Amino acid sequence: MKKINAVILISVIIVLYASLLSAQTDATKSQILIKETFLFKIKMDCFPTNFVVSPDNKRLAYLARRDDGWFVVVDGSEGKGYELIVQGRLMFSPNSKRIAYVATRNDKMIVIIDDVESKEYDWIGNIVFSPDSERVVYTAGESGRLFVVLDGIAGNNYDDIGIPVFSPDSKHLAYWAQRGEKWIPITDNAEGTAFDSISDFYPIIFSDDSKRIGYSGKQVDKWLTVIDGKECDGILNRFSSDSRHYFCIKGSGDKAILVKDDVESEAKYNKITGISVSSDGERLSYTAMANNKWVVVVNGVESREYDGVSGSIFSSDNRHIAYWAKRNYNWLTVIDGIEGKEYENTGEIAFSPDGRKYAYWTSYGDKRIIVLSSHTYSAERGGKIVPIARNEIEKEYFRISVPTFSSDSKYVLYCATPGDKWTLNVNEIESIEKYDKIYVYNSRLFFDSPSTFHALALRGDEVLYLEAKIVD
């Protein structure tokens, strides 16, 4: 009976593999049809620099200069001139409708938001839009004192100011402020527990529902965390996706302890990092080190040992997990416990929405590599995900963007340079059209529908809006 079951199982796997491989083969026969629309020309005679694309990949801004000063060009339209425009401060709002930057005038600094100038300050730091794009805050300084300016209104003076952070619902603002030798968390202008020191690695954290807030700081030689006004030992790492739980890392000598809602794990590791929680809250993973070897722990079960581990991600259906692991001097991906090929560096891993496929980019030498799964790599049996195999397709480029899957999980989209020009790529197919540059926000393209997407591209000095459709 066991032999018969084994034969049946093998037959099912072969059929599944063949059908999925066939589907992948059909997908590689797809064509990318592109409609190009001219938008504007880049002012090449004005030394264009610091190009910024909007989050929706539909708008483009950059800095330019003439002999009499600097100016911003947005969607081809030239803005007001200034003595200097600070590089790295030009930015779009999350909804792509607003734009802000910092300029200098008469040895003073000003913020320009939607073409409206602020008052002059001695110094201006970080600009932050709220998630809903309705509010904006920035740090500023006058006469040796620093403060935040929220929606045009200046806050209290301090000796130093950290980067402000909005809550996900855009209703609350928090930041670190220094007064004398103490660092104080400020939430909606209310001061919290003062600390002797803080770390940029441990920012103030809001829960996803914006109802909870936590932060960590050091008092004397001890790290403390304050969550919803309650103090506890350790360093806050994150809240769960449902905002019900929090996770801290507590040190005890040379031991690290994971704390979930005041419940401590066994003190068996020297370090704990990279806490990740599945969206349904059912799976918890973290990376841990003991005796100079690293493991990934998922719901208490350890992976094999590695020389290093770089985080972990769950698929959107919460059934699969992936991470980069280091063996000697090279890195490899581990997906549902199955190891992939070794490379020199890590890259970003993406799961398809249905969790059945994955893609990632990496590098080896001077080459950038896209790796696509050619079929489902695991199956469900008896309520458990059981690895089958990893069958991958690898393509080499000089540069590459982060891969993105379509909502139906059929296609994976990215742009790349097979030579000195950029192409739009779907699965293994490269567009016939080639461009000098493809502008992408946060190094990724997005689908508009399961078979359509858009992008901004440069050919010569012309900026083009590309509307692309995948045709099988």
Side-chain angles (χ1 to χ4, degrees):
M1 179 61 72
K2 290 183 178 179
K3 290 183 177 180
I4 293 175
N5 288 339
V7 172
I8 293 174
L9 177 59
I10 292 172
S11 300
V12 169
I13 292 173
I14 291 173
V15 171
L16 178 63
Y17 173 83
S19 63
L20 290 168
L21 188 59
S22 176
Q24 177 71 21
T25 302
D26 291 340
T28 60
K29 296 178 181 178
S30 303
Q31 291 182 313
I32 307 172
L33 303 182
I34 299 175
K35 176 185 176 182
E36 298 180 354
T37 301
F38 168 77
L39 295 180
F40 54 87
K41 288 188 176 183
I42 300 293
K43 298 179 183 295
M44 294 296 188
D45 59 336
C46 294
F47 308 99
T49 186
N50 197 192
F51 286 81
V52 178
V53 65
S54 61
D56 63 4
N57 283 333
K58 292 183 178 181
R59 305 184 66 190
L60 186 68
Y62 61 93
L63 306 186
R65 67 179 175 90
R66 297 189 182 93
D67 292 339
D68 57 349
W70 289 78
F71 56 94
V72 169
V73 180
V74 183
D75 300 331
S77 297
E78 183 177 325
K80 185 177 178 178
Y82 295 96
E83 294 174 354
L84 179 68
I85 295 177
V86 181
Q87 295 202 27
R89 304 286 177 83
L90 176 63
M91 62 183 300
F92 284 96
S93 60
N95 68 0
S96 303
K97 295 180 179 180
R98 309 181 68 186
I99 193 164
Y101 56 95
V102 178
T104 64
R105 182 174 58 200
N106 302 322
D107 295 325
K108 296 286 186 176
M109 302 182 78
I110 57 175
V111 174
I112 298 91
I113 303 172
D114 303 330
D115 295 326
V116 178
E117 297 178 352
S118 71
K119 64 168 290 187
E120 295 179 350
Y121 298 99
D122 295 334
W123 174 84
I124 293 173
N126 296 281
I127 305 172
V128 181
F129 280 102
S130 60
D132 65 3
S133 301
E134 294 297 320
R135 311 180 72 188
V136 63
V137 65
Y138 52 89
T139 54
E142 278 185 319
S143 303
R145 304 295 287 175
L146 301 180
F147 46 88
V148 300
V149 180
L150 174 61
D151 299 331
I153 301 174
N156 295 327
N157 292 330
Y158 294 99
D159 297 318
D160 201 356
I161 295 278
I163 299 175
V165 57
F166 281 101
S167 59
D169 65 2
S170 303
K171 295 180 179 180
H172 306 286
L173 179 74
Y175 57 93
W176 284 107
Q178 186 181 30
R179 180 188 293 133
E181 299 297 323
K182 297 289 186 178
W183 282 91
I184 308 164
I186 313 296
T187 307
D188 298 333
N189 290 323
E191 297 187 356
T193 303
F195 293 93
D196 295 328
S197 62
I198 60 172
S199 172
D200 292 337
F201 294 105
Y202 311 128
I204 298 174
I205 301 174
F206 284 100
S207 60
D208 286 353
D209 66 2
S210 302
K211 295 180 180 179
R212 310 185 71 183
I213 187 171
Y215 46 84
S216 302
K218 207 170 188 179
Q219 289 184 342
V220 190
D221 294 323
K222 185 178 183 180
W223 282 97
L224 299 174
T225 287
V226 177
I227 299 174
D228 304 331
K230 179 182 177 182
E231 190 175 292
C232 58
D233 293 344
I235 299 170
L236 178 64
N237 184 274
R238 60 171 299 151
F239 288 99
S240 59
S241 300
D242 61 9
S243 303
R244 296 172 56 193
H245 309 288
Y246 67 86
F247 301 89
C248 290
I249 299 172
K250 179 180 176 182
S252 178
D254 63 345
K255 295 295 183 181
I257 300 169
L258 176 66
V259 182
K260 177 184 177 183
D261 299 335
D262 297 329
V263 178
E264 298 183 359
S265 67
E266 181 183 355
K268 59 184 297 187
Y269 302 111
N270 303 122
K271 292 182 181 179
I272 293 177
T273 63
I275 298 174
S276 180
V277 185
S278 60
S279 59
D280 61 3
E282 296 298 319
R283 304 182 74 189
L284 168 67
S285 78
Y286 57 91
T287 60
M289 188 268 284
N291 301 319
N292 293 319
K293 290 294 183 180
W294 289 86
V295 295
V296 173
V297 184
V298 183
N299 285 2
V301 179
E302 295 180 355
S303 70
R304 68 186 63 184
E305 293 182 342
Y306 296 100
D307 296 312
V309 176
S310 179
S312 61
I313 63 165
F314 288 101
S315 59
S316 57
D317 65 358
N318 303 308
R319 296 173 179 268
H320 310 285
I321 187 171
Y323 52 89
W324 284 95
K326 188 176 185 180
R327 179 178 291 137
N328 296 321
Y329 298 102
N330 290 329
W331 290 88
L332 53 93
T333 55
V334 181
I335 300 178
D336 289 346
I338 304 176
E339 296 182 349
K341 184 178 175 180
E342 293 186 4
Y343 299 96
E344 284 185 354
N345 297 298
T346 64
E348 188 164 339
I349 306 171
F351 281 107
S352 60
D354 64 5
R356 295 167 65 89
K357 298 177 183 177
Y358 62 86
Y360 61 91
W361 69 269
T362 182
S363 64
Y364 206 98
D366 60 351
K367 295 288 187 179
R368 300 295 180 267
I369 301 166
I370 184 78
V371 181
L372 311 174
S373 61
S374 63
H375 65 82
T376 296
Y377 51 89
S378 58
E380 184 173 346
R381 292 200 292 272
K384 295 183 178 181
I385 299 297
V386 180
I388 295 176
R390 284 184 62 170
N391 194 359
E392 300 172 338
I393 298 168
E394 182 181 286
K395 297 197 71 176
E396 291 186 355
Y397 296 98
F398 291 103
R399 287 170 291 177
I400 195 166
S401 68
V402 176
T404 304
F405 279 94
S406 57
S407 59
D408 63 1
S409 303
K410 186 176 180 180
Y411 304 112
V412 61
L413 169 66
Y414 55 99
C415 56
T417 53
D420 60 350
K421 301 291 184 179
W422 284 85
T423 59
L424 293 171
N425 298 36
V426 174
N427 296 345
E428 300 172 68
I429 301 301
E430 298 173 0
S431 63
I432 297 174
E433 296 85 350
K434 293 178 172 57
Y435 305 95
D436 295 312
K437 177 68 177 177
I438 295 177
Y439 298 103
V440 289
Y441 176 78
N442 202 23
S443 192
R444 69 180 70 232
L445 295 164
F446 305 99
F447 281 92
D448 298 315
S449 76
S451 60
T452 62
F453 60 93
H454 67 272
L456 290 176
L458 181 70
R459 182 182 289 135
D461 62 353
E462 295 185 346
V463 176
L464 308 173
Y465 181 68
L466 311 180
E467 298 173 274
K469 183 177 183 179
I470 307 168
V471 179
D472 293 335

